[in-house]
Amino acid sequence: MSNAYEELKPFLERAQAFQTAKILFEWDNETLAPRMAEPNTTKVVGTLSGEYFSVVTDRRVKELVKRCQKEEGLTEVERAVVRELAEEIEKLECIPPKEYREFAELTARSTGIWARARKDNDFDSFAPILKEIVEYTKKFASYRAGEGQKLYDVMLDDFEKGFDTETLDRFFGTLKEQLVPFLKKLTDSGVEIDNRFLTGDYKKEDQEAAGRFFAEYVGFDFDRGVMAVSAHPFTTNLHNKDVRITTSYNDHVDDSLFSVIHESGHGIYELGIPDELTQTLVGQGTSMGMHESQSRFFENIIGRNEAFWVPVYGKLQERFPKQLGHIAVEQFVKAINKVEPSLIRTQADELTYSLHVLIRYEIEKMLIGEDLPVEKLPKIWADKYEEYLGVRPENVSDGVLQDIHWSQGSFGYFPSYALGSAFGAQLYMYMRKKMDFEGLLRKGDIRTIREFLRENIHQYGKLKTSRQILKDITGEDFNPQYYIDYLVEKYGKLYGI
Amino acid sequence: MSNAYEELKPFLERAQAFQTAKILFEWDNETLAPRMAEPNTTKVVGTLSGEYFSVVTDRRVKELVKRCQKEEGLTEVERAVVRELAEEIEKLECIPPKEYREFAELTARSTGIWARARKDNDFDSFAPILKEIVEYTKKFASYRAGEGQKLYDVMLDDFEKGFDTETLDRFFGTLKEQLVPFLKKLTDSGVEIDNRFLTGDYKKEDQEAAGRFFAEYVGFDFDRGVMAVSAHPFTTNLHNKDVRITTSYNDHVDDSLFSVIHESGHGIYELGIPDELTQTLVGQGTSMGMHESQSRFFENIIGRNEAFWVPVYGKLQERFPKQLGHIAVEQFVKAINKVEPSLIRTQADELTYSLHVLIRYEIEKMLIGEDLPVEKLPKIWADKYEEYLGVRPENVSDGVLQDIHWSQGSFGYFPSYALGSAFGAQLYMYMRKKMDFEGLLRKGDIRTIREFLRENIHQYGKLKTSRQILKDITGEDFNPQYYIDYLVEKYGKLYGI
């Protein structure tokens, strides 16, 4: 037993409590809080952020961390907590407390401003605060940047350790090189999939009931979780007994359905964190990329798999007899996998999805590395959509304002989405060799698949990096080729090309 | 400007942030949190309570309070904040930090246990934790009790300054003496009011829509407030731009309707706190009694007033055409005022309501002052209901488990309900002389009445006590006779006696 670690514990508990309170305020802000609450609530959140900052950077904490780093007898978890804490101190210490607090208050306000701007289709009302956020984010990255390190690389590293612009340029390069010709071949094939029946009078209450059913079916535990509505679907967690997902409803039934399965994937990751790790600094998913690998695994590799629907499509038909009663399961599966270059990332099909991410990646590089003025975003966004996807947003709500991330100061996050898909595909291609994956789905046995993920990924929290996890499971380093192979196989079959 | 007060501000801000976070966790716990979240969340709430305790009882805070008390140049609000803070320090300092924290964790758990016990009709599963809560509450009161002061008097004073067992024995004595014979006369009158149409297939969604309409109609501002569902209706507020009410739904439409108007009354009080006071120690309603005076004013004096329904009964009929389309407004008003001794306090008519409170008052005196074992509660409760109201609960869910208060450690709270009704009646009898009260209601002008309350009560927060407020408005000290007169006049007319 380490004395220094024992002394550290009360500080860790306080830091944890402030973080958890902040998370609850964020959740509440996105799902429930009244329109005018913001300025007053922002003060509270700002104070809590300040407290978190104070406790983590407390002189005594720093001394104890140093002692812990030298001491023998720490458990593996304790060592990992100390490592995370040391990193967090380093990250926070570069930032003057006043600026840290200002930024917390800024982002507490900005998500509300973004939501209204999106609703009102008014980029100008969001631009000034976005500009401030970009400035803060760059300033904070500059405090931490190593000699000659790009600011954007500092941000990328926060979301996925060991992945920088160079690696990602290569990753996205590979995707472009192989997927763009494949997509062309596919759209030129003349195969037309009818998915019009997915749009229509799908009542909100029925979509919600269906969402709850499928969340539970894939393994989201409502005894330890809740589901609510927000502008942009997201997952959050207070600890491993309180994990929360949101969705939103429109007249496309597949939007809410697959966003619920997607968020359930995130949720199941957090629900799989063991009691020993929850409420510690290593009690969360290891990285954004690995998190997305799980959400997209559930959404696409499981949820858009024909085998998945064999045992449960009837349930969906029962819920929507008028809309789906006459649609065969094969037709439904084709429809939910229809490839169609479109404007909204979260509604994109699995094949064109990475192009949406590519656009954001390129724009972030410009915003952070090339001082692109935020005022130019709507046009650049639209131009890139036209260039890569052949579609041009007619308004900013369907364009540059569609995602919440930038309003939260999350630059460098988007690439994780594409990386996550690639991680997931690598896992799937491996798992297929070890188990009758589609056979399990056909039997309605999601549990065996989920348990594999829990045992090999979820239970480790932040004890392993994404790369380690991939290597320990598949015996191989990260290899994006599996992603290409998976997509080409799946869509080649679906489109008969 | 006071230097000491300036130095005090950051401490006050921190205390405020911890309190607000705790309030949000409580709200979340009652309205949304998943079933199994409790043990982990309790740790977080316990830590936040500890932080609140630490900051309020910080040595520097105590020095600054002393300096502020001596300094000239503090504004009226600042002086009041210092006074409240000094009282809070005194209250907290008697309690060892460890016990304070344990108690916070205990009550964070206990409301969940109460809710399940009530649902399962199982008093035994609640008794052990209730016993612990009673012990803590008594211990805490004993730390603060003056020479020869009763423990229950210490608790009563927390909710309503200057009201002790002696005063309340007299108050409830007066009520018993005058109301019991009047109630007898009324029930012997042979007048039968039919209210069966208030029970039936009232859909939850329609009740919710009606609730929202009437909340807004009486002045609850949904730009600064929200409404949700919980086991026991309550109101809470983070600040004057975020005030939250709850209700619950069953097949009695009047239950949800009047609980919403009741909670709206609480909410309107908190929404009436000015910006200058919100997020300070004096930025809440002045006492539980005055709070109840407002909620019961809206519920009964406004909401069950025949004049109130003249302009809006049609709206309710439109919402429930099958159930109310054939019911005349006069019949409806009689039904919502039907006197009927019953089991559930929150559903009690205005006349028998104070007897429900009397029972709790007598039991609390026994629990706190006479060491009544909690195991005996179900029987004593049932016996008293039989004695005073002539009805006996057949199960504990409709008996001793019906209220949340004891699970939160709120002993001494209940008497405020009866006091509040009496405060409200005194205010009403005065207002009637100054304005055409019923005329305003008939015109749908709630605003004039609400503005009177805001200007004379709400805007002062804790700057004045209940007694001062009553005196400043009516020119008289608290006088329970108005309550009797109001009830006798109203029910005499309704029952033609």
Side-chain angles (χ1 to χ4, degrees):
Chain A
M1 205 189 73
S2 154
N3 285 328
Y5 194 83
E6 284 302 310
E7 286 179 52
L8 199 52
K9 271 184 176 172
F11 293 99
L12 290 169
E13 255 173 40
R14 287 166 60 204
Q16 192 66 36
F18 301 141
Q19 271 307 82
T20 310
K22 275 177 61 186
I23 289 169
L24 185 62
F25 274 106
E26 278 165 30
W27 161 269
D28 186 77
N29 184 44
E30 298 299 326
T31 54
L32 184 72
R35 197 175 66 80
M36 289 171 68
E38 197 179 276
N40 286 348
T41 303
T42 295
K43 285 183 215 160
V44 173
V45 175
T47 304
L48 291 170
S49 293
E51 289 297 295
Y52 176 78
F53 187 94
S54 296
V55 67
V56 170
T57 61
D58 189 301
R59 187 181 44 76
R60 287 163 297 174
V61 171
K62 284 185 274 181
E63 285 166 13
L64 289 168
V65 165
K66 274 186 199 136
R67 277 175 53 200
C68 284
Q69 284 168 332
K70 281 177 215 151
E71 261 184 47
E72 306 285 320
L74 271 73
T75 65
E76 189 198 350
V77 173
E78 288 167 356
R79 277 201 313 276
V81 167
V82 170
R83 190 195 63 221
E84 284 293 323
L85 180 56
E87 277 179 24
E88 181 76 351
I89 292 170
E90 212 195 317
K91 240 185 239 176
L92 292 179
E93 282 244 291
C94 331
I95 304 171
K98 191 171 152 282
E99 292 180 14
Y100 179 84
R101 199 188 146 134
E102 283 166 1
F103 184 65
E105 292 191 7
L106 192 69
T107 50
R109 272 194 298 131
S110 58
T111 52
I113 294 174
W114 162 76
R116 276 194 292 287
R118 182 192 185 201
K119 191 166 156 275
D120 299 343
N121 189 32
D122 174 18
F123 182 76
D124 292 349
S125 67
F126 178 55
I129 199 162
L130 176 60
K131 194 175 171 176
E132 278 189 82
I133 291 169
V134 171
E135 288 312 314
Y136 270 101
T137 315
K138 284 168 67 173
K139 194 156 62 174
F140 291 172
S142 76
Y143 295 145
R144 294 159 50 209
E147 182 79 23
Q149 193 186 12
K150 287 179 189 152
L151 294 186
Y152 191 44
D153 281 346
V154 176
M155 300 175 194
L156 288 170
D157 200 70
D158 281 345
F159 295 103
E160 202 59 55
K161 269 176 208 161
F163 287 79
D164 58 10
T165 322
E166 210 189 312
T167 326
L168 287 169
D169 281 348
R170 218 161 36 224
F171 170 58
F172 283 111
T174 311
L175 295 189
K176 257 201 279 191
E177 197 184 303
Q178 301 189 47
L179 287 185
V180 171
F182 179 70
L183 180 62
K184 174 112 185 61
K185 199 170 140 194
L186 188 148
T187 46
D188 287 353
S189 71
V191 178
E192 272 297 330
I193 290 177
D194 183 5
N195 68 351
R196 283 169 302 178
F197 56 84
L198 294 175
T199 305
D201 183 22
Y202 286 94
K203 287 221 168 53
K204 183 188 162 302
E205 301 80 53
D206 289 326
Q207 289 193 54
E208 194 192 326
R212 278 183 188 275
F213 172 83
F214 283 101
E216 219 160 359
Y217 183 76
V218 300
F220 186 78
D221 178 358
F222 280 101
D223 281 340
R224 297 188 286 146
V226 302
M227 184 168 115
V229 174
S230 66
H232 183 98
F234 70 97
T235 299
T236 196
N237 69 313
L238 304 186
H239 45 67
N240 70 348
K241 305 285 192 295
D242 192 339
V243 176
R244 301 169 177 216
I245 61 176
T246 72
T247 187
S248 60
Y249 301 101
N250 58 35
D251 62 351
H252 307 289
V253 72
D254 50 332
D255 281 359
S256 70
L257 204 54
F258 289 99
S259 94
V260 166
I261 299 177
H262 178 98
E263 301 305 330
S264 294
H266 283 301
I268 287 163
Y269 196 168
E270 295 297 343
L271 288 168
I273 299 290
D275 290 344
E276 196 198 6
L277 296 190
T278 196
Q279 297 187 302
T280 76
L281 284 169
V282 293
Q284 303 83 30
T286 191
S287 73
M288 290 303 152
M290 192 49 79
H291 238 300
E292 280 303 315
S293 87
Q294 298 306 289
S295 56
R296 295 187 64 76
F297 195 97
F298 276 87
E299 176 189 349
N300 295 320
I301 293 173
I302 293 177
R304 295 190 204 262
N305 196 314
E306 180 161 8
F308 174 81
W309 288 100
V310 171
V312 283
Y313 179 59
K315 287 273 175 198
L316 197 67
Q317 286 181 308
E318 274 170 36
R319 176 70 59 188
F320 302 108
K322 258 194 297 185
Q323 295 93 334
L324 300 178
H326 60 294
I327 304 291
V329 65
E330 297 76 21
Q331 208 180 338
F332 175 77
V333 171
K334 279 197 174 165
I336 58 173
N337 283 297
K338 178 171 183 171
V339 175
E340 199 164 31
S342 69
L343 293 172
I344 308 294
R345 176 181 61 83
T346 56
Q347 298 161 16
D349 59 81
E350 208 180 344
L351 189 62
T352 56
Y353 186 83
S354 53
L355 299 179
H356 290 260
V357 178
L358 169 68
I359 290 169
R360 286 153 180 79
Y361 172 67
E362 290 185 350
I363 292 179
E364 285 189 349
K365 281 206 295 182
M366 293 163 79
L367 264 177
I368 306 301
E370 299 163 22
D371 297 325
L372 175 76
V374 296
E375 292 74 18
K376 298 201 170 168
L377 281 176
K379 185 171 181 307
I380 289 196
W381 184 283
D383 288 347
K384 284 194 182 286
Y385 262 79
E386 195 155 11
E387 185 186 345
Y388 293 119
L389 287 150
V391 290
R392 191 178 183 90
E394 283 176 17
N395 58 58
V396 284
S397 299
D398 290 340
V400 67
L401 286 182
Q402 70 184 264
D403 295 306
I404 197 175
H405 306 61
W406 291 345
S407 77
Q408 297 172 320
S410 297
F411 296 93
Y413 186 130
F414 283 120
S416 324
Y417 289 121
L419 279 177
S421 302
F423 293 169
Q426 182 167 350
L427 287 167
Y428 168 65
M429 296 302 257
Y430 173 81
M431 287 169 77
R432 274 209 317 197
K433 289 185 279 183
K434 298 289 156 186
M435 58 178 80
D436 180 9
F437 197 94
E438 274 68 27
L440 291 168
L441 292 181
R442 228 170 269 123
K443 283 192 297 186
D445 178 5
I446 317 281
R447 172 186 286 269
T448 301
I449 296 168
R450 194 174 63 240
E451 274 300 300
F452 179 92
L453 299 171
R454 195 189 59 72
E455 259 178 49
N456 291 285
I457 303 173
H458 309 170
Q459 68 149 325
Y460 293 110
K462 282 180 183 289
L463 296 180
K464 293 183 178 186
T465 65
S466 303
R467 261 197 159 120
Q468 268 178 287
I469 287 170
L470 282 176
K471 190 135 195 194
D472 287 351
I473 298 176
T474 67
E476 239 186 296
D477 199 356
F478 168 57
N479 179 352
Q481 191 57 45
Y482 289 113
Y483 183 36
I484 315 277
D485 293 349
Y486 160 72
L487 290 172
V488 169
E489 182 192 312
K490 174 171 177 178
Y491 287 94
K493 196 179 151 211
L494 265 159
Y495 276 79
I497 51 170
Chain B
M1 204 190 72
S2 153
N3 284 330
Y5 194 83
E6 283 303 309
E7 285 179 52
L8 199 52
K9 271 184 175 172
F11 293 99
L12 290 169
E13 255 173 40
R14 286 167 59 204
Q16 192 65 36
F18 301 140
Q19 271 307 83
T20 309
K22 275 177 60 185
I23 289 168
L24 185 62
F25 274 105
E26 278 165 31
W27 160 269
D28 187 76
N29 185 45
E30 299 298 328
T31 55
L32 184 72
R35 196 175 66 79
M36 288 172 67
E38 196 181 275
N40 286 348
T41 303
T42 295
K43 285 183 216 161
V44 173
V45 175
T47 304
L48 292 169
S49 293
E51 290 297 294
Y52 175 78
F53 187 95
S54 297
V55 67
V56 170
T57 60
D58 189 299
R59 188 181 44 75
R60 288 163 297 175
V61 170
K62 283 185 275 182
E63 285 166 13
L64 289 167
V65 165
K66 274 185 200 139
R67 276 176 52 200
C68 283
Q69 284 168 332
K70 282 178 216 151
E71 261 185 47
E72 306 283 321
L74 270 74
T75 65
E76 188 198 352
V77 173
E78 288 166 358
R79 278 201 313 277
V81 167
V82 170
R83 189 195 64 221
E84 285 292 323
L85 181 56
E87 277 180 24
E88 181 75 351
I89 292 170
E90 211 194 318
K91 240 185 239 177
L92 291 179
E93 282 244 292
C94 331
I95 303 172
K98 192 173 152 280
E99 292 180 14
Y100 179 85
R101 200 189 145 134
E102 283 166 359
F103 183 66
E105 292 191 7
L106 192 69
T107 50
R109 271 195 298 132
S110 59
T111 52
I113 294 175
W114 162 76
R116 276 194 293 285
R118 183 192 184 202
K119 191 166 156 274
D120 300 343
N121 189 33
D122 174 18
F123 183 76
D124 292 349
S125 67
F126 179 55
I129 200 163
L130 176 60
K131 193 174 171 177
E132 278 189 82
I133 291 168
V134 171
E135 288 312 314
Y136 271 102
T137 315
K138 284 168 70 174
K139 194 156 63 173
F140 292 173
S142 77
Y143 295 146
R144 294 158 51 209
E147 181 80 22
Q149 194 186 11
K150 285 178 190 154
L151 295 186
Y152 190 44
D153 280 347
V154 176
M155 300 174 193
L156 287 171
D157 201 71
D158 281 345
F159 295 103
E160 202 59 56
K161 268 175 209 161
F163 288 79
D164 58 10
T165 321
E166 209 188 315
T167 327
L168 286 169
D169 281 347
R170 218 161 38 225
F171 170 59
F172 283 111
T174 311
L175 295 189
K176 258 203 277 193
E177 197 184 301
Q178 300 189 48
L179 287 186
V180 171
F182 179 70
L183 179 62
K184 173 112 186 63
K185 199 170 141 194
L186 188 149
T187 46
D188 287 351
S189 72
V191 178
E192 271 298 328
I193 290 177
D194 183 5
N195 68 350
R196 283 169 303 177
F197 57 84
L198 295 175
T199 305
D201 183 21
Y202 286 94
K203 288 222 167 52
K204 184 188 160 302
E205 300 78 53
D206 289 326
Q207 289 193 53
E208 192 192 325
R212 278 182 188 274
F213 173 83
F214 283 101
E216 219 159 358
Y217 183 76
V218 299
F220 186 78
D221 178 358
F222 280 101
D223 281 340
R224 297 188 285 146
V226 301
M227 183 167 115
V229 174
S230 66
H232 183 99
F234 69 97
T235 299
T236 196
N237 68 313
L238 304 186
H239 45 69
N240 70 348
K241 304 286 192 296
D242 192 339
V243 176
R244 300 169 178 216
I245 61 176
T246 72
T247 188
S248 60
Y249 301 101
N250 57 37
D251 61 350
H252 308 289
V253 71
D254 50 332
D255 280 359
S256 71
L257 203 54
F258 289 99
S259 95
V260 166
I261 299 177
H262 179 98
E263 302 305 330
S264 294
H266 283 302
I268 286 163
Y269 195 167
E270 295 297 342
L271 288 168
I273 299 290
D275 289 345
E276 195 198 7
L277 297 191
T278 196
Q279 297 187 302
T280 77
L281 284 169
V282 293
Q284 303 83 31
T286 190
S287 73
M288 290 303 151
M290 191 49 80
H291 238 298
E292 281 303 315
S293 86
Q294 298 305 288
S295 55
R296 296 187 64 76
F297 195 98
F298 276 87
E299 177 189 348
N300 294 320
I301 292 173
I302 293 177
R304 295 190 205 263
N305 197 314
E306 180 162 6
F308 174 81
W309 288 99
V310 171
V312 283
Y313 180 59
K315 287 273 175 198
L316 197 66
Q317 285 181 309
E318 274 171 37
R319 176 71 58 187
F320 302 108
K322 257 195 299 185
Q323 295 93 334
L324 299 177
H326 59 294
I327 305 291
V329 65
E330 297 77 20
Q331 208 179 338
F332 176 76
V333 170
K334 280 196 174 164
I336 59 172
N337 283 297
K338 178 172 183 170
V339 175
E340 198 164 31
S342 70
L343 293 172
I344 308 293
R345 176 182 61 83
T346 57
Q347 298 161 15
D349 60 79
E350 208 180 345
L351 189 62
T352 56
Y353 186 82
S354 53
L355 299 179
H356 290 261
V357 178
L358 169 68
I359 290 169
R360 287 155 179 77
Y361 172 67
E362 290 184 349
I363 293 179
E364 285 190 349
K365 281 207 294 183
M366 294 163 78
L367 264 177
I368 307 301
E370 300 163 22
D371 297 326
L372 175 75
V374 296
E375 292 74 18
K376 297 202 172 169
L377 282 175
K379 184 169 181 310
I380 291 196
W381 183 283
D383 289 347
K384 285 196 181 286
Y385 262 80
E386 195 154 12
E387 184 185 346
Y388 293 119
L389 287 151
V391 290
R392 190 178 183 89
E394 284 176 18
N395 57 58
V396 284
S397 298
D398 290 341
V400 66
L401 286 182
Q402 70 185 266
D403 296 306
I404 197 173
H405 306 62
W406 291 345
S407 78
Q408 297 172 320
S410 298
F411 296 93
Y413 186 131
F414 282 119
S416 324
Y417 288 120
L419 280 176
S421 302
F423 294 169
Q426 182 167 349
L427 287 167
Y428 169 64
M429 296 301 258
Y430 172 82
M431 288 169 77
R432 274 211 316 199
K433 289 185 281 186
K434 298 289 155 184
M435 58 179 80
D436 180 8
F437 197 95
E438 274 69 26
L440 290 168
L441 291 182
R442 227 170 269 121
K443 283 191 296 186
D445 178 4
I446 317 280
R447 172 186 286 268
T448 302
I449 295 167
R450 196 174 61 241
E451 274 300 300
F452 179 92
L453 298 171
R454 196 189 58 73
E455 259 179 48
N456 290 285
I457 303 175
H458 308 170
Q459 69 148 326
Y460 293 110
K462 282 180 183 290
L463 296 180
K464 291 184 179 186
T465 65
S466 302
R467 259 194 162 122
Q468 268 177 288
I469 287 170
L470 281 176
K471 190 135 196 193
D472 287 350
I473 298 176
T474 68
E476 238 186 295
D477 199 354
F478 168 58
N479 179 352
Q481 191 56 45
Y482 288 112
Y483 183 35
I484 315 276
D485 293 349
Y486 159 71
L487 290 172
V488 169
E489 180 193 313
K490 174 171 176 177
Y491 287 93
K493 193 177 152 215
L494 264 160
Y495 276 78
I497 51 171

